[in-house]
Amino acid sequence: MKVAIIGSGIVGQTLGKKLVELGQEVILGTRDASKLDEVKGWAGSLNNWLATVGDRATVATFTDAANRGEIVINATHDIASLAALQTAGVENLKGKILIDVANGLDFFQGMPPKSLAADTTSLGEKIQAAFPDTKVVKTLNTMNIDG
Ligand SMILES: NC(=O)c1ccc[n+]([C@@H]2O[C@H](COP(=O)([O-])OP(=O)(O)OC[C@H]3O[C@@H](n4cnc5c(N)ncnc54)[C@H](OP(=O)(O)O)[C@@H]3O)[C@@H](O)[C@H]2O)c1
């Protein structure tokens, strides 16, 4: 199966590596697919990731990844998720399962992070409302990426 991952940080890279090990084809999405040497936060560069995972993985823009993926994972920065998925494209996500592993947390005001969820609306609900023809599945967001 072709799995698109929208998000190139430690979570996207870790999930992508495991999915390749399990025999899936992975298209890892990033905003600028030409910046393969840029270090991605706690993760390494996408060139390092590609060298680790082998031929069953490629790096593409958010749009290209969502277009090519049969199933899509959202692993973007919490606050940027809606914008990143809009860039991925409503039409590219239409009818597809979107596994949303992002957390609605704001780390920019110090620790502990502030929850961005309103009393009645979570990030997953906001994504489902913005992409009504996509099947949003909220899961794995409380799993530590090291565990
Ligand atoms: N750490 C964990 O153990 C864990 C476990 C489960 C879930 N999570 C959640 O998984 C998600 C991903 O975490 P992460 O640490 O791997 O990555 P991250 O640093 O939270 O996000 C990286 C991704 O967000 C994109 N991005 C950043 N700013 C953006 C903007 N303004 N517009 C569009 N896209 C933007 C980056 O684009 P580029 O590719 O262009 O750099 C990159 O693809 C988060 O929501 C996190 O809360 C974390």
Side-chain angles (χ1 to χ4, degrees), residues 78-127:
D78 330 295
I79 297 175
S81 285
L82 281 168
L85 292 170
Q86 291 290 357
T87 303
V90 172
E91 284 302 314
N92 290 328
L93 297 173
K94 193 172 185 177
K96 295 180 183 174
I97 291 172
L98 173 68
I99 299 175
D100 175 33
V101 306
N103 288 305
L105 295 174
D106 179 2
F107 286 88
F108 295 113
Q109 298 179 48
M111 297 297 279
K114 185 169 169 272
S115 172
L116 295 170
D119 285 345
T120 53
T121 316
S122 67
L123 176 63
E125 288 172 307
K126 289 178 196 166
I127 292 172

